[in-house]
Amino acid sequence: MPDDAHAGLIERWILDGPWPLVALLGLVALVLFVVASRRDDARIVPIAVSTAILAGIVAVVGVLIETPAEAARAQTRALVAEAVDGDVDAMIDRLTSDATLHVGRVSSPGYPFADLTRGLDALRRSQRIEENSITALESASVDDRNVYVELSCLTRTASSYGYAPSRWVIEWIDDPSEGWRIRSITAMSIAGRVPSGRNLFR
């Protein structure tokens, strides 16, 4: 991820992924209830109740509030579904007009829009996806309207011998008029190697 992308503690543990914290608070509340029961100590009960209520609040807040990182991950899942369906036109519609293709590192010089669309176009033919699974999906925000999503997949295509892993970083920007759009795609690795320049699947 770029150095300026980050995930704050509140966003990571409450807004973006509340369930580990909810589970921990629920377990603490349960333990306190058991201890209070065994010791017949009513003083512990209010603490247990407060902890259980806090767990509920964290769960509700986490469900009701969608962070930019969550929105970008949802958009990434939809993008992958389009790739699997071979709907390259829909994928291209998600790109900004100045979207760029990078290889190896997000900070590497970007190839222009035409090279990016040419790489995606291979999904119609030689690299037609036959089966795909997302193995990792992480995100980090630059600000409320700019999010990087790191995506790892295990994919079988029409021209591959079995399943090949790949890792990508997708830069999403929330355009006020058009919604979430892709400003850059970085091919970190495909089938265990860094792609050769602009030719992603060679």
Side-chain angles (χ1 to χ4, degrees):
M1 292 289 189
D3 293 337
D4 56 348
H6 63 279
L9 290 177
I10 292 178
E11 180 178 356
R12 180 184 295 275
W13 292 105
I14 297 178
L15 300 179
D16 202 15
W19 303 117
L21 181 57
V22 170
L24 177 61
L25 290 171
L27 179 61
V28 170
L30 179 61
V31 169
L32 288 174
F33 276 120
V34 171
V35 170
S37 176
R38 289 183 177 179
R39 294 183 180 179
D40 195 23
D41 189 346
R43 295 173 300 176
I44 301 177
V45 173
I47 301 174
V49 171
S50 298
T51 305
I53 291 174
L54 181 59
I57 291 173
V58 170
V60 170
V61 170
V63 168
L64 293 182
I65 298 178
E66 182 182 59
T67 66
E70 286 178 300
R73 290 199 304 275
Q75 294 292 327
T76 300
R77 292 188 190 94
L79 177 73
V80 171
E82 290 165 355
V84 172
D85 292 340
D87 193 351
V88 176
D89 291 335
M91 298 176 72
I92 292 175
D93 284 344
R94 293 180 179 274
L95 305 175
T96 63
S97 59
D98 59 348
T100 51
L101 169 67
H102 305 253
V103 293
R105 296 174 59 87
V106 175
S107 58
S108 66
Y111 295 103
F113 184 88
D115 291 314
L116 177 53
T117 56
R118 190 179 303 114
L120 294 176
D121 198 56
L123 297 173
R124 302 182 198 266
R125 296 182 296 276
S126 62
Q127 299 301 323
R128 180 73 175 88
I129 296 175
E130 296 180 344
E131 194 169 346
N132 180 80
S133 61
I134 295 175
T135 57
L137 190 65
E138 299 180 1
S139 57
S141 303
V142 175
D143 52 44
D144 288 344
R145 298 175 63 182
N146 191 3
V147 179
Y148 286 88
V149 175
E150 184 170 340
L151 166 72
S152 295
C153 292
L154 195 60
T155 310
R156 180 167 59 85
T157 69
S159 62
S160 65
Y161 299 98
Y163 293 86
S166 63
R167 189 161 63 94
W168 311 80
V169 173
I170 303 171
E171 180 188 8
W172 291 92
I173 183 168
D174 188 9
D175 185 278
S177 59
E178 298 184 336
W180 287 97
R181 290 291 180 267
I182 297 170
R183 186 154 63 183
S184 70
I185 295 179
T186 303
M188 303 295 288
S189 66
I190 300 176
R193 63 178 180 83
V194 176
S196 176
R198 67 189 68 193
N199 298 311
L200 287 181
F201 302 107
R202 186 171 66 185

